Amino acid sequence: MKNIYITRRETFNAAHKLRREDWSDEKNELVFGKCANKNWHGHNFELFVTVKGVPSVDTGFVINLKELGEIIKKSVIEKIDHKNINLDVDFMKGKMSSTENLAIGIWKEIEHEIVKMGGELVKIKLFETENNFVEYFGGKEPY
Ligand code: NI
């Protein structure tokens, strides 16, 4: 039987800044724009976690979406919602708080939990704003 892809949506809001202290104010503003603001700012993030699998004969489910929602809440949302990504979030320590790095960090936080449920994580889609989002499909990390 062919795989079916199923997605759970969760939301959180968090503060961050994209700023390199080894760069001048001018260069930070040129590269990171408003996200370089010294005194922080927030985004309303929208997260889509996609899992693939074959539906169970017993339940018709690929994965129980309520349980998937609980995994995402426990492994990601509770750690990041209403927090400062640069300062408060353990899995983002030492990384630039870009949406790309956040998607990679979220993948690493939840992948093993999804495997335990018998699912296969295939995509993290993360909106930082209405117009800007990233998609991460796993595999070798860029650095
Ligand atoms: Ni920003």
Side-chain angles (χ1 to χ4, degrees), residues 16-18 34-35 41-43 128:
H16 83 150
K17 66 179 165 186
L18 287 173
K34 287 182 174 177
C35 282
H41 64 279
H43 293 282
E128 186 186 63

Side-chain angles (χ1 to χ4, degrees), residues 41-77:
H41 64 279
H43 293 282
N44 293 316
F45 289 91
E46 199 176 7
L47 169 65
F48 295 87
V49 174
T50 301
V51 172
K52 80 171 180 186
V54 174
S56 151
V57 174
D58 295 332
T59 62
F61 292 166
V62 166
I63 198 164
N64 185 311
L65 279 176
K66 187 170 172 281
E67 285 174 27
L68 178 59
E70 282 161 9
I71 285 172
I72 301 166
K73 282 190 195 92
K74 186 169 157 281
S75 304
V76 177
I77 307 296

Side-chain angles (χ1 to χ4, degrees), residues 97-113:
S97 58
S98 65
T99 315
E100 291 88 329
N101 284 344
L102 199 47
I104 293 167
I106 290 169
W107 177 287
K108 286 160 78 177
E109 288 302 298
I110 61 173
E111 186 186 21
H112 59 285
E113 296 295 333

